[in-house]
Amino acid sequence: MKKKLVVLTGAGISAESGIKTFRDSDGLWEGHNVMDVATPEGWHKNPALVLDFYNQRRKQLKEVQPNLGHQILAELENEFEVYIITQNVDDLHERAGSTNVLHLHGELLKVRSTKNVNYILDWTEDLNFGDLDSNQNQLRPHIVWFGEDVPALEEAIRITEIADYFAVIGTSLQVYPAAGLIDFTNPETPLFYIDPKPIKIPNLRNPLEVIPEVASEGMKILKKKLIDLI
């Protein structure tokens, strides 16, 4: 029986592929204030800007490739039952070969109805005004914006609870509720934390090993450590 490896990934793992982090230190995302392009208020205020912003992100995604960090995670499915919970909206985990990926914050290559959260379509091209659902409602990016519920959270908690090993890769652990998932691990579950600028995790019960590296280098180290534990 393979051990269960649960991995929480953030912007740091995609940054090495050339995707800008969701929120840079200056509070901007690709030159835009996140409040203008990643909130329901921004959508209502200027939907044309929001549509254009995500259309540009969709184009950018076609120009980048998974990096070694993504690839090693996919390879670990040979030794472990791997569950990836990602804060990222790109599809780089899937393109690297990972087969069990849960997107907490939505997916760039999907859209949904503005009136029915369960009406979701695959979408690889531009999304424009006049692109409607079956009830003639405008479609919007399938992204969980600031201030919106995180529909996948309950499933993420269930996955976290069964982890034999839990790894955090390339996330600042500042965005909730994703950052709170660690609290749902078994206290005996070993925790691995890969980040070039790791923060101190308050009130942590688990045995912790910090790997202060970028995702690709950190994943080389983590793979060896995990296989040594088998």
Side-chain angles (χ1 to χ4, degrees), residues 23-205:
R23 183 163 28 173
D24 292 326
S25 58
D26 57 6
L28 300 180
W29 183 16
E30 294 284 4
H32 291 271
N33 187 313
V34 293
M35 302 308 289
D36 293 333
V37 296
T39 64
E41 294 78 13
W43 169 253
H44 292 300
K45 177 183 174 184
N46 192 345
L49 171 67
V50 175
L51 287 175
D52 179 67
F53 179 81
Y54 290 98
N55 287 343
Q56 295 304 318
R57 304 287 72 72
R58 219 172 282 115
K59 286 189 179 80
Q60 180 191 53
L61 185 53
K62 294 177 181 179
E63 298 168 358
V64 301
Q65 299 296 328
N67 61 60
L68 186 60
H70 297 106
Q71 292 161 3
I72 294 175
L73 271 176
E75 291 167 4
L76 282 170
E77 292 191 11
N78 294 322
E79 285 83 24
F80 298 90
E81 192 173 328
V82 181
Y83 298 84
I84 296 173
I85 302 167
T86 186
Q87 296 169 260
N88 300 332
V89 297
D90 59 64
D91 66 340
L92 296 179
H93 283 303
E94 289 91 340
R95 280 159 57 187
S98 290
T99 60
N100 200 344
V101 184
L102 179 67
H103 288 266
L104 276 180
H105 295 157
E107 297 180 62
L108 199 51
L109 298 181
K110 291 185 179 179
V111 299
R112 74 170 187 254
S113 168
T114 50
K115 299 296 184 184
N116 179 0
V117 295
N118 297 313
Y119 187 98
I120 301 167
L121 300 173
D122 293 329
W123 204 274
T124 59
E125 302 304 322
D126 285 355
L127 178 63
N128 301 303
F129 279 117
D131 290 328
L132 309 175
D133 69 10
S134 56
N135 290 319
Q136 305 305 300
N137 300 303
Q138 176 66 40
L139 296 170
R140 55 160 276 185
H142 182 48
I143 303 292
V144 177
W145 289 326
F146 288 106
E148 293 186 320
D149 291 335
V150 181
L153 182 61
E154 288 187 14
E155 185 179 354
I157 290 171
R158 286 196 298 271
I159 292 169
T160 299
E161 289 173 337
I162 64 171
D164 294 306
Y165 307 107
F166 193 92
V168 176
I169 305 169
T171 172
S172 63
L173 293 174
Q174 300 295 305
V175 178
Y176 284 83
L181 285 174
I182 292 171
D183 297 335
F184 292 93
T185 57
N186 185 302
E188 282 75 51
T189 298
L191 177 65
F192 300 90
Y193 179 23
I194 299 173
D195 197 280
K197 297 178 181 177
I199 65 164
K200 183 173 175 57
I201 304 174
N203 306 315
L204 185 66
R205 310 160 299 164

